[in-house]
Amino acid sequence: MSGAFYEFFAGGGMARAGLGPGWTCLFANDFDPKKAASYEANWGASDLKVGDVADLTTKDLPGHADLVWGSFPCQDLSLAGAGAGLKGERSGTFWPFWKLVKALQANGRAPTMIVLENVCGALTSHGGKDFAAIGAALTSAGYRFGAVVIDAVHFLPQSRPRLFIVAVRADAPVPMGFEAGNPEGPWHSAALVEAQRNLSRRSRENWIWWRLPSPPFRNLSFIDILEENPVGVEWHSPEQTRKLLGMMSPVNAAKVREAMKANRRMVGAIYKRTRPNGEGRKIQRAEIRFDDIAGCLRTPAGGSSRQSIMVVDGRSIGSRLLSPREAARLMGLPEDYQLPRNYNEAYHLAGDGVAVPVVKFLASSLLEPLLAAYKAAAKKAA
């Protein structure tokens, strides 16, 4: 048994899926009733409380969690957002969440570890001030911390870089080999290195360059996750496919022509994006990639498009939306994971989650060794 955890901003429980059966979930919370319905369908409702994190108190949180996981909303920190940062309505929910963590500390139930997951835009939001504010909060609460950027593409055929801030109690020992003296690739990006430089002096003094093992070899390609008989979507008509082709720039249209010459079945991932046309106007373009990797799943809200696929086999070309099950596979969810029946709800659930194998990798490579070392030290001290 690894430990016990609370899962905040839980969505469909993808962090829980990644931590695995060795971890015990004591409490889960999400504001969205539709996501909470998926959580309940897959994990049950006994640990789940649906509602605003700001309305929670320590009385709602049972037991003593070794780990607090918080995948707080990214909308105000992402490049697609309005730039409100931690002052925004969505990403600003970090603060009531943090108030609750502080209350746990005052209650004598400070977690050994805290993991915060978000988009990489959290590093540069407000010129790095939002990242510095999170660092200051962790440091003032008596935690040492560091961060890593992990792209799900190391584990899954999806380009999905995400920031993971890992904090550990200052009195917790860090085993030899888990702390690097300097940033190390591929986990410490240039943006992360720059953000670390902009931290306060006190935060830098409590900073840890976490060392993770090399990423595993991924043997799964985009074509491997596709459904032969997709459920929840239909193939486009020839007219719809021609319209999609007509939305491509010369560069993207050339990619399709090259795929037609490949003498094998090729699958491309497509997103629709608004681009300048060179004449002072903006038009919608269909942009395709044939590198056996899907684009980063997004939530179909706020103007973001849903991902489509184009299957090219010689002169035969077909297209359709990515199916809900394919989106779930791109997140590493198991085949028996129950998805919402509504397409947009299922796609939103996947696009707003954390990649399961990434959580599993972080847990086995860092979280579990840290917790084991802390428990061993506490046992020895007793």
Side-chain angles (χ1 to χ4, degrees):
M1 188 64 66
S2 296
F5 69 99
Y6 301 146
E7 184 179 13
F8 291 93
F9 314 103
M14 295 185 203
R16 180 171 182 164
L19 289 172
W23 289 79
T24 301
C25 181
L26 300 178
F27 177 84
N29 168 252
D30 200 278
F31 178 78
D32 188 332
K34 292 180 179 178
K35 291 179 183 176
S38 292
Y39 194 102
E40 181 178 346
N42 288 280
W43 309 106
S46 60
D47 312 316
L48 177 66
K49 187 174 181 64
V50 185
D52 193 332
V53 67
D55 296 331
L56 298 176
T57 70
T58 54
K59 293 180 180 179
D60 295 304
L61 307 178
H64 189 156
D66 300 295
L67 167 67
V68 168
W69 184 286
S71 292
F72 64 100
C74 66
Q75 287 87 342
D76 300 306
L77 296 167
S78 69
L79 294 176
L86 292 182
K87 295 180 181 179
E89 181 180 354
R90 298 297 303 277
S91 299
T93 52
F94 169 79
W95 295 115
F97 156 77
W98 185 247
K99 182 180 179 181
L100 190 60
V101 174
K102 291 277 288 181
L104 279 172
Q105 187 180 43
N107 196 234
R109 292 190 286 155
T112 305
M113 297 177 297
I114 300 169
V115 176
L116 304 173
E117 181 260 341
N118 215 286
V119 295
C120 295
L123 293 169
T124 54
S125 175
H126 287 167
K129 291 181 180 178
D130 287 332
F131 183 70
I134 292 172
L138 291 166
T139 302
S140 65
Y143 287 86
R144 298 179 68 205
F145 74 103
V148 290
V149 173
I150 305 179
D151 193 335
V153 78
H154 295 303
F155 310 87
L156 299 162
Q158 181 195 176
S159 173
R160 192 180 187 84
R162 288 294 184 265
L163 174 71
F164 296 84
I165 302 172
V166 180
V168 63
R169 283 173 51 153
D171 61 346
V174 176
M176 185 175 297
F178 289 86
E179 184 173 353
N182 296 291
E184 296 181 345
W187 315 119
H188 303 133
S189 65
L192 174 56
V193 172
E194 180 63 23
Q196 192 270 349
R197 289 196 194 104
N198 293 327
L199 294 174
S200 69
R201 179 179 176 181
R202 185 182 178 192
S203 291
R204 290 197 306 274
E205 289 172 349
N206 285 278
W207 177 268
I208 299 173
W209 289 111
W210 294 117
R211 173 173 285 157
L212 297 177
S214 298
F217 175 76
R218 174 176 57 83
N219 56 10
L220 190 68
S221 294
F222 188 28
I223 197 169
D224 297 327
I225 65 99
L226 298 186
E227 291 184 289
E228 288 298 322
N229 299 297
V231 177
V233 295
E234 295 182 356
W235 287 95
H236 290 158
S237 67
E239 291 76 16
Q240 289 173 309
T241 298
R242 283 195 293 270
K243 182 180 179 181
L244 201 57
L245 288 166
M247 295 173 63
M248 293 184 181
S249 68
V251 170
N252 284 276
K255 294 179 184 178
V256 178
R257 290 194 296 271
E258 286 299 312
M260 294 172 69
K261 302 175 185 176
N263 294 320
R264 65 184 177 92
R265 191 170 180 241
M266 299 284 287
V267 178
I270 300 175
Y271 267 127
K272 295 176 183 176
R273 293 185 171 90
T274 301
R275 300 296 192 196
N277 68 347
E279 299 175 1
R281 293 187 299 111
K282 291 185 176 181
I283 59 175
Q284 194 173 47
R285 289 291 197 185
E287 300 182 351
I288 192 166
R289 57 192 296 174
F290 284 101
D291 57 357
D292 289 327
I293 297 170
C296 182
L297 286 178
R298 298 182 178 89
T299 55
S304 293
S305 69
R306 297 169 296 184
Q307 193 162 184
S308 298
I309 65 168
M310 181 167 283
V311 179
V312 180
D313 195 350
R315 297 188 64 83
S316 174
I317 301 177
S319 63
R320 62 171 170 82
L321 288 173
L322 191 75
S323 78
R325 181 55 60 187
E326 289 162 349
R329 289 172 180 169
L330 285 175
M331 295 302 293
L333 285 167
E335 292 297 300
D336 61 355
Y337 186 91
Q338 297 183 51
L339 295 168
R341 293 184 178 181
N342 178 276
Y343 179 91
N344 275 355
E345 289 177 16
Y347 194 95
H348 189 280
L349 184 77
D352 211 23
V354 56
V356 173
V358 173
V359 178
K360 184 178 180 180
F361 173 75
L362 188 65
S364 62
S365 302
L366 184 61
L367 306 183
E368 290 164 9
L370 286 175
L371 183 57
Y374 179 79
K375 288 184 175 181
K379 184 177 181 180
K380 186 176 180 180

